[in-house]
């Protein structure tokens, strides 16, 4: 069991290093989506709707994977934003956009913290 | 303990990061032979060649989701007895009831704990075969 555990931890550390590299890319991408999402309120703008849906997809994945790689705070933050976005999309983009914007900012900071910490 | 040996797992997951951690876990702790697929569609294409003992599958996936893929397996007599475990974040009571209705062997909630994953799979595997033996 000890050997299994150490073999697992060794592979997990390699995977975690790669995951951290991918967090950099995720941070950049989410930053671009955030700019698209909050620059206009015009729901006829297809880019706005697409940006929200794309962001939801990325954050859903981040919420699922980050906790498994040991980033529990990032997991909680992304899960909170995932649920907010889900409701926002479900309510035809009519709920409080400011709350989403604030939580988006918190998430981007949390990603930066995770990258710096490791 | 059932006489059935769990060796080959068809692991169906579209998220590359979760694929990585899932595969490492299944190989390290379960000593399983793991074959990866990125969608239900790919699983449907590969399953007969792989001939897995178990399918471990996400629900929300592009191209073909887990539920559709499982229903396709059930239509085929060669595949219908292969146990399918859903590994998903969509695990509210009504969702799990829906999975049970279509005959899923078990549900593992994401995010999963890597240390607990293989014991959870083995438990579902044992229950599935115990039920199957009683039915026969």
């Amino acid at each position: 069991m000890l050997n299994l555990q150490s073999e697992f931890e060794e592979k997990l550390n390699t995977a975690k290093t790669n995951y951290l590299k991918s967090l950099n890319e995720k941070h950049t991408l989410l930053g671009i989506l955030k700019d698209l999402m909050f620059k206009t309120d015009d729901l006829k703008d297809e880019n706005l709707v697409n940006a929200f849906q794309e962001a939801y997809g990325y954050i859903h994945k981040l919420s699922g994977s980050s906790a498994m790689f040991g980033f529990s705070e990032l997991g909680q933050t992304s899960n909170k934003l995932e649920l907010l976005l889900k409701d926002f999309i479900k309510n035809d983009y009519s709920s409080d956009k400011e709350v989403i914007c604030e939580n988006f900012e918190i998430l981007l900071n949390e990603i930066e913290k995770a990258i710096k910490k490791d | 303990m059932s006489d059935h040996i769990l060796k080959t797992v068809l692991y169906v997951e579209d998220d590359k990061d979760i694929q990585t951690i899932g595969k490492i876990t299944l190989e390290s702790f379960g000593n399983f032979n793991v074959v990866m697929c990125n969608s239900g569609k790919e699983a449907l294409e590969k399953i007969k060649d792989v001939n897995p003992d178990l399918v471990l599958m996400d629900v929300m996936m592009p191209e073909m989701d887990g539920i559709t893929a499982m229903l396709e397996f059930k239509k085929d007599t060669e595949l219908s007895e292969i146990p399918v475990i859903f590994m998903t974040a969509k695990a509210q009571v009504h969702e799990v009831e829906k999975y049970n209705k279509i005959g899923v062997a078990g549900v593992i909630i994401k995010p999963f704990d890597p240390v607990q994953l293989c014991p959870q799979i083995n438990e579902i595997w044992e229950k599935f075969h115990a039920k199957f033996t009683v039915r026969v």
Side-chain angles (χ1 to χ4, degrees):
Chain A
M1 188 66 188
L2 269 178
N3 277 344
L4 282 180
Q5 186 76 34
S6 59
E7 185 193 321
F8 172 74
E9 276 168 12
E10 197 178 308
K11 287 181 181 173
L12 183 66
N13 282 336
T14 308
K16 200 173 167 181
T17 306
N18 293 331
Y19 186 72
L20 276 168
K21 282 182 196 160
S22 80
L23 277 183
N24 263 317
E25 291 162 23
K26 288 179 174 81
H27 183 274
T28 307
L29 185 75
L30 287 170
I32 294 168
L33 287 171
K34 179 179 169 274
D35 290 344
L36 279 170
M37 286 156 67
F38 300 106
K39 76 172 181 186
T40 172
D41 282 326
D42 180 9
L43 284 175
K44 285 176 191 159
D45 184 344
E46 222 174 85
N47 288 334
L48 176 72
V49 173
N50 289 342
F52 269 102
Q53 288 178 347
E54 204 171 330
Y56 174 72
Y58 278 111
I59 291 163
H60 168 74
K61 286 185 175 186
L62 187 63
S63 157
S65 60
S66 51
M68 284 189 250
F69 281 96
F71 300 103
S72 56
E73 284 173 18
L74 182 55
Q76 284 167 14
T77 311
S78 47
N79 184 248
K80 186 180 175 189
L81 183 54
E82 181 192 353
L83 297 175
L84 285 170
L85 277 170
K86 191 180 175 183
D87 278 347
F88 187 69
I89 293 169
K90 202 174 149 190
N91 294 325
D92 293 327
Y93 308 87
S94 60
S95 47
D96 191 355
K97 208 172 158 185
E98 277 304 306
V99 177
I100 293 180
C101 189
E102 280 165 25
N103 279 277
F104 220 100
E105 204 53 60
I106 294 170
L107 176 66
L108 289 173
N109 288 335
E110 203 59 58
I111 296 175
E112 282 169 29
K113 262 166 57 185
I115 295 168
K116 280 179 193 159
K117 199 173 155 187
D118 285 74
Chain B
M1 288 287 281
S2 84
D3 296 333
H4 299 85
I5 296 165
L6 175 51
K7 188 70 194 156
T8 302
V9 176
L10 187 68
Y11 180 29
V12 192
E13 167 66 61
D14 66 308
D15 186 313
K16 298 286 176 201
D17 296 320
I18 297 177
Q19 273 186 10
T20 303
I21 200 158
K23 191 168 190 286
I24 291 171
T25 304
L26 294 168
E27 288 174 344
S28 299
F29 289 123
N31 203 22
F32 302 134
N33 171 31
V34 183
V35 180
M36 298 299 311
C37 288
N38 296 300
S39 70
K41 187 170 176 274
E42 193 185 343
L44 204 57
E45 287 162 1
K46 275 191 184 170
I47 191 167
K48 284 192 182 173
D49 289 337
V50 176
N51 191 22
D53 301 302
L54 175 83
V55 177
L56 184 62
M57 185 153 62
D58 187 14
V59 172
M60 274 173 72
M61 288 180 290
E63 290 189 317
M64 185 187 283
D65 65 28
I67 294 174
T68 310
M70 183 172 163
L71 291 172
E72 289 297 319
F73 301 158
K74 294 288 170 196
K75 280 185 202 165
D76 189 323
T77 49
E78 273 183 65
L79 308 174
S80 59
E81 295 298 336
I82 299 174
V84 175
I85 297 176
F86 280 156
M87 195 150 69
T88 179
K90 288 174 74 68
Q92 290 181 32
V93 175
H94 71 278
E95 289 166 328
V96 174
E97 278 171 4
K98 187 176 162 189
Y99 308 149
N100 287 333
K101 268 185 194 162
I102 63 168
V104 78
V107 177
I108 292 173
I109 299 170
K110 281 203 295 198
F112 60 83
D113 176 352
V115 177
Q116 289 303 316
L117 180 63
C118 289
Q120 280 179 292
I121 291 172
N122 285 326
E123 193 185 332
I124 294 169
W125 172 262
E126 291 295 334
K127 274 186 190 163
F128 176 84
H129 285 290
K131 212 191 291 180
F132 188 74
T133 308
V134 170
R135 240 192 282 148
V136 170

